[in-house]
Every structure is written in C-alpha cells, then in structure tokens.
Amino acid sequence: MSPHLLSFSMSYPVFTCRVSAISPPRSSPSCALPPPLSSGSSSALQCPHFEACSGCSHELHLHRPVVVDEATDFFKSMGVSDFTFDSCRVREWRCRAKLAVRGSPLNPLIGLYEEGTHNVVDIPQCKAHHPNINATVEILRRGIKQLNIEPYDEDQGTGDLRYVLMAVTTYNTSLPSSERYINGRVQVSLVWNSRNENSPSAKKLNELALFLWRNGGSKSEVPLIHSVWANFQTSTNNVIFGNRWRLLLGDREFWEHIGGIDISLDPSSFAQANTQAFESLLWKLQKYVPYGASVTDLYAGAGVIGLSLAATRKCRSVKCVEINKDSKQSFEKTVERFPKSVDSSISWHQADASIKPSSWLMGSDVIVVDPPRKGLEPSLIDALQMIALVGRKEKSPSPEGYLNVKEEKRPWILRAREASVHAGKGWTLQSNKELIPEILIYISCGWESFKEDCKALVSSKAWHVQKAHGFNFFPGTGSIEVLAIFKRGPREQLKKKKTEKKRKKRLHDKKSCQ
C-alpha cells in the first residue's frame, strides 16, 4: 500500500452547513462501574510501575479521589447540595497515550518521564492503558529491536523515533456493543526525527511501519492495529508533534461513536483519553440543553460536544469555535455522516474565543465552554458577566465595547462571513443576535482554575450554579472532570414557600384559638 501525504492547510476559517436532528436513545450508556468498596484490591491500582512512573499519583481508592469531598463542600457553598460523582472504570480506561521513546535499539524504553526529569520510565504493563495499547507497544518494542531502530537522544538531537501516539477506536458495528471496547483497534502515530518522508531515514520508517502491520494489522493473527501514521518533527523544544502527518498503512478514517453520533478524529485532533467517562458526561450534559436551543460551543475542538447536542437536542443552531485549524477536517467529515433529514444550522469557526468574546456569546441560548486546564481567559469571564447583567435590564443601552460595537468595526466577523461555506437556508454569523445566553455549561479538567472562574462568575450575581457533577476521567490521579450548569442571574430565594408556610401557621393558630 502506497502512503498518502496529508495536508492540513485551511481554505476557510469558517465551515457552515445545515443538518437535521436525530432522536436521542431511550437510555444513556453508563460506564463500567467498579464495586462500591471503600477499600480493597478492586479499587487499587496494582501497577508494577507505580513507584517510578509519573502517570499516576494515587494507588488506592481510585473510585473516589480525595478531591471529590472538597468539590462536594465547594458546591454546597454555592447552593448545590446534590453534587454527584460518577466513578466509571478505574483500570484500562486510557484510550489515548503519548509515550516517549528513548534508550537504545537493544533496550528501548517506551513510556513516560520520571517525575521532574527527562528520564523515561518503561511501562509495558501499565494498568491505566487499554490492554491493546500495551499489546501494540510490545509489537513496537520488538520492531525496534529487530530492525535496529535508533530511539531519540535529547542531549545529542540524534536518533529516529522520538515519540509514539496510540489511540484506540472502539467503533466496530460488526461486534455486539458489549464486545467493542475490549476489541478496540489502535491507531499508531510514529513521531520521526526528520523533516519529511524524503529523509535518509525514510527506509527505516517504512520498515518499522510494515513490521507493525504484519504483526498487528488487519490480516495478522491477532488484529490489533487500525492504522500506522508518521509525524515529522525535528524541533529541539518540548513540542511533541510537528505539522506534517502522513498515513503509511491502514485506514485513513478513524471513527468513534460518542454522544449519539459518529465522530471522525484525525491523529492531530484533540480527543478525550477516557472515552467511556466522556460518553457518560455527554449524556448528562444533554439533559440540561433545552430542545430547539441555539448553542455556542467554545474551545470546541472537532465539535464533538456541539454536534452531539445538535443531533440529540434538535438545536436550531450550533456554533463551534476553535483556535486550532487542524480540527476543521474532522468536523467536516463528522457532519457528512449526519442524516440528510436533519434541520439544524451548524458551523465551525477557526477563531480565538478570548478576542472580543461577546461576538460569539450573543445570539445563543446556551454557552458551552470546555477550556484547557488553566481555565477561562479573563476577557471571556468579563464578557459573560457583562452580558448576563445587561440581559436583566430590558431595553436599556448595551455597554460600549460589548453589545453595541458596529459591525464594520469587527473585521474578524466580516472575514468569517466572507469565507464561510454554507448549505441550506440563509444563515449568518449574527442570526438571532437579540438572544442572550440563559444557560452556561462549564466543563473543567482543572479543579483549581474552575473554582476561581466559578467564584468570579457568581460574585457579581450575573450567574449562579444550578447543578454540578463530577466524573472520574483520570483514575490514579488527584484530578476529576467537572460539569457545572450555571443559570443567568442570582439564585432565587424561596420567599413564596416561606410566605406560604407562615400563612398556614397563622391559619392553624386561629383554628386552635377557636
């Protein structure tokens, strides 16, 4: 099979289409939960690499990290007394792994850096990895030894194989749904220390790819590998991937079924490592989005959250805003699989949501944010506060710099419109611009940054927390994923209920006197 060169150049910063909705399933899938034990081996890591590897910081009680208690108390202080936590599976959960390759051809080290160093710890029996990642790593190890592949040397800048990215797809409709996870196939991306596929070491790269395919490809005795890719990187900084990707062997298309839809993911696309926990979060999130809502999905990546909502909640419109242009191709492929009967206006925009953020916030009923670990940019928090407060003052002038900015003063909006690709009825970036967000859905992987953002949002009484849920995205660590639902305005006091109780008490007292 001849390799094909990928190009990630972007013709348009905005991609727009119209698709229609599909009905959500009657019941949402749930994670494979461990037994509800407070101690014991079922909730322990039991990994031989724990002492040396930096990947996990906790060995016991994986089903309930300590931070869950802190989160419960924090949300109580915010008026939410029913914070929930979904544990999901605590071992063999990781479906995406970026591993460094160091050592020598005779003794390759494939794993993670030791804490605080650039010394790689070999982790062939990692308990967090999906089993097929470990099995594929073993094939790679054998290939390095037999073909005399030189692992990368950071001090000298020499060697060929720098890193490997392994991503598992559990999308296999030929198998019963209960068997798809354990039989997931692995997409292998080899980060090669050269500028391109024409380098002197290209022969070794192709030999290694063929070795992987013969021993784990679709026609091997135990088919484990979905495809083999190459990424070319010669930089001496800490950036793992270069900009040039090439499919060497296997299927170009990599699909996963998440949140009720088929999602296309390229090797360069961001995707959650814990597929099952992310699925659980999506089904929970969907319950808080009203049918027919207009949604803006910020930090959208390939649009997984926004597209899932479009399909299951019959949204009028969904705008996905993402700064990384590489996600556009995955978004386009995903939309192509949507049923033709659908009737939602969906768009993807390559833009920095922190620059004039109100232009993205206005015109939507629901805002979804899924920022990186550092949390929301100050400009976005300011815009969320300002718009929520303005929305409470009917017919009052909008603050200068937020809502009354003339269109001609927003060249990035004009450029986005001019470059848009659209199919279906008339859709514009400013459609329904009179709408003001009523719901803010915040997904966070950084607990400390989330607390600060949450306090900022509620301090001005622009928003209040209505519901909150935690998910065990990272068993073995002190981190959790948080899903918080904010409603616009301050929390309503239950004055009517108190007044009713007083009235009943007065009536009771009168009857007693009589």
Side-chain angles (χ1 to χ4, degrees):
M1 177 177 179
S2 60
H4 301 276
L5 182 64
L6 276 183
S7 173
F8 287 102
S9 61
M10 181 171 164
S11 302
Y12 304 98
V14 183
F15 175 80
T16 310
C17 62
R18 289 192 71 85
V19 294
S20 74
I22 59 177
S23 299
R26 292 181 182 177
S27 62
S28 59
S30 60
C31 297
L33 295 177
L37 301 176
S38 59
S39 63
S41 61
S42 64
S43 61
L45 185 61
Q46 297 179 311
C47 182
H49 312 302
F50 177 75
E51 293 295 335
C53 176
S54 61
C56 295
S57 57
H58 294 68
E59 193 174 16
L60 301 174
H61 309 299
L62 303 191
H63 63 289
R64 188 177 174 85
V66 176
V67 71
V68 174
D69 294 330
E70 181 188 341
T72 301
D73 292 339
F74 175 82
F75 284 114
K76 277 184 181 178
S77 71
M78 292 290 164
V80 177
S81 59
D82 56 351
F83 174 75
T84 65
F85 181 72
D86 289 353
S87 179
C88 300
R89 63 166 67 230
V90 296
R91 289 188 292 274
E92 300 180 350
W93 56 268
R94 180 174 284 280
C95 290
R96 297 181 75 87
K98 286 180 267 190
L99 305 173
V101 182
R102 300 293 185 267
S104 67
L106 292 177
N107 183 30
L109 305 176
I110 306 173
L112 303 177
Y113 291 119
E114 186 180 352
E115 188 71 34
T117 75
H118 270 215
N119 301 322
V120 171
V121 176
D122 205 28
I123 52 173
Q125 300 176 54
C126 175
K127 297 301 182 181
H129 287 167
H130 187 289
N132 288 353
I133 288 182
N134 287 342
T136 305
V137 166
E138 186 55 35
I139 297 174
L140 176 61
R141 188 188 313 278
R142 285 164 41 205
I144 292 171
K145 290 180 178 180
Q146 290 187 28
L147 300 173
N148 197 36
I149 303 297
E150 194 71 40
Y152 184 63
D153 185 317
E154 287 186 79
D155 295 331
Q156 303 297 324
T158 58
D160 296 317
L161 184 56
R162 301 169 61 124
Y163 295 92
V164 60
L165 168 65
M166 296 200 175
V168 177
T169 171
T170 62
Y171 185 88
N172 187 346
T173 55
S174 66
L175 293 174
S177 57
S178 60
E179 298 177 14
R180 292 175 189 173
Y181 186 84
I182 195 64
N183 289 290
R185 299 281 187 91
V186 183
Q187 180 191 67
V188 181
S189 297
L190 306 169
V191 182
W192 205 251
N193 188 32
S194 67
R195 292 180 180 275
N196 53 51
E197 64 277 13
N198 298 319
S199 68
S201 62
K203 182 180 178 182
K204 282 188 175 183
L205 172 61
N206 290 326
E207 288 176 348
L208 182 57
L210 285 169
F211 182 91
L212 290 168
W213 194 248
R214 283 197 303 267
N215 289 275
S218 58
K219 294 183 180 181
S220 63
E221 184 178 347
V222 181
L224 294 169
I225 297 176
H226 168 277
S227 54
V228 183
W229 291 72
N231 175 264
F232 300 97
Q233 169 69 296
T234 57
S235 173
T236 57
N237 57 29
N238 290 328
V239 177
I240 294 177
F241 302 114
N243 295 322
R244 194 176 184 87
W245 295 82
R246 180 171 179 171
L247 173 64
L248 301 180
L249 291 165
D251 294 334
R252 178 179 295 275
E253 304 299 326
F254 182 94
W255 291 90
E256 191 59 89
H257 189 79
I258 303 175
I261 58 173
D262 292 348
I263 296 291
S264 172
L265 294 169
D266 289 317
S268 61
S269 301
F270 170 79
Q272 293 288 353
N274 195 331
T275 305
Q276 289 191 326
F278 184 47
E279 174 90 345
S280 181
L281 182 147
L282 283 179
W283 290 117
K284 184 79 73 175
L285 182 156
Q286 290 168 5
K287 296 177 181 179
Y288 295 104
V289 177
Y291 278 99
S294 291
V295 177
T296 294
D297 180 11
L298 304 181
Y299 310 92
V304 176
I305 297 172
L307 292 174
S308 172
L309 293 174
T312 60
R313 305 306 287 177
K314 304 182 188 296
C315 296
R316 292 194 306 277
S317 66
V318 172
K319 292 183 290 189
C320 298
V321 182
E322 168 60 36
I323 195 171
N324 180 8
K325 64 181 181 181
D326 290 348
S327 298
K328 174 177 177 284
Q329 189 174 37
S330 293
F331 177 88
E332 292 174 317
K333 290 178 182 177
T334 299
V335 166
E336 288 174 1
R337 280 207 180 181
F338 269 56
K340 293 181 180 179
S341 58
V342 192
D343 191 27
S344 291
S345 177
I346 300 178
S347 57
W348 185 92
H349 310 267
Q350 193 231 324
D352 185 344
S354 67
I355 299 177
K356 302 293 183 181
S358 60
S359 62
W360 301 112
L361 301 179
M362 292 302 295
S364 295
D365 305 295
V366 179
I367 303 296
V368 180
V369 294
D370 186 9
R373 193 170 295 275
K374 66 179 181 178
L376 301 176
E377 286 85 355
S379 60
L380 184 52
I381 292 178
D382 291 345
L384 285 167
Q385 290 176 327
M386 188 64 68
I387 285 178
L389 292 171
V390 167
R392 286 152 55 186
K393 301 176 182 179
E394 295 184 1
K395 299 182 181 180
S396 62
S398 303
E400 184 179 356
Y402 280 90
L403 307 182
N404 272 349
V405 183
K406 292 184 179 179
E407 188 171 279
E408 59 269 20
K409 291 184 179 180
R410 292 184 283 185
W412 64 95
I413 293 292
L414 298 178
R415 285 196 300 270
R417 177 177 296 155
E418 291 167 0
S420 66
V421 180
H422 169 58
K425 296 180 189 177
W427 177 93
T428 66
L429 198 57
Q430 295 300 300
S431 62
N432 299 319
K433 62 182 178 182
E434 71 280 359
L435 289 177
I436 296 176
E438 295 289 337
I439 299 173
L440 169 65
I441 300 177
Y442 193 135
I443 303 165
S444 172
C445 61
W447 174 240
E448 293 300 326
S449 60
F450 169 80
K451 287 192 297 183
E452 296 304 314
D453 290 349
C454 182
K455 292 173 183 177
L457 290 168
V458 303
S459 62
S460 61
K461 297 185 178 181
W463 300 90
H464 69 274
V465 185
Q466 182 194 33
K467 290 285 184 179
H469 307 280
F471 299 85
N472 203 8
F473 271 38
F474 322 100
T477 74
S479 299
I480 60 173
E481 193 88 356
V482 169
L483 171 65
I485 314 301
F486 293 79
K487 282 291 190 74
R488 186 164 62 84
R491 183 178 298 278
E492 294 183 3
Q493 301 297 324
L494 302 178
K495 293 181 180 179
K496 291 184 179 179
K497 289 186 177 181
K498 290 181 179 179
T499 303
E500 183 67 17
K501 286 182 179 180
K502 289 181 180 179
R503 188 183 69 82
K504 288 182 178 179
K505 186 176 185 302
R506 286 198 300 268
L507 289 174
H508 177 74
D509 292 343
K510 284 183 180 180
K511 289 180 180 180
S512 299
C513 293
Q514 292 173 355

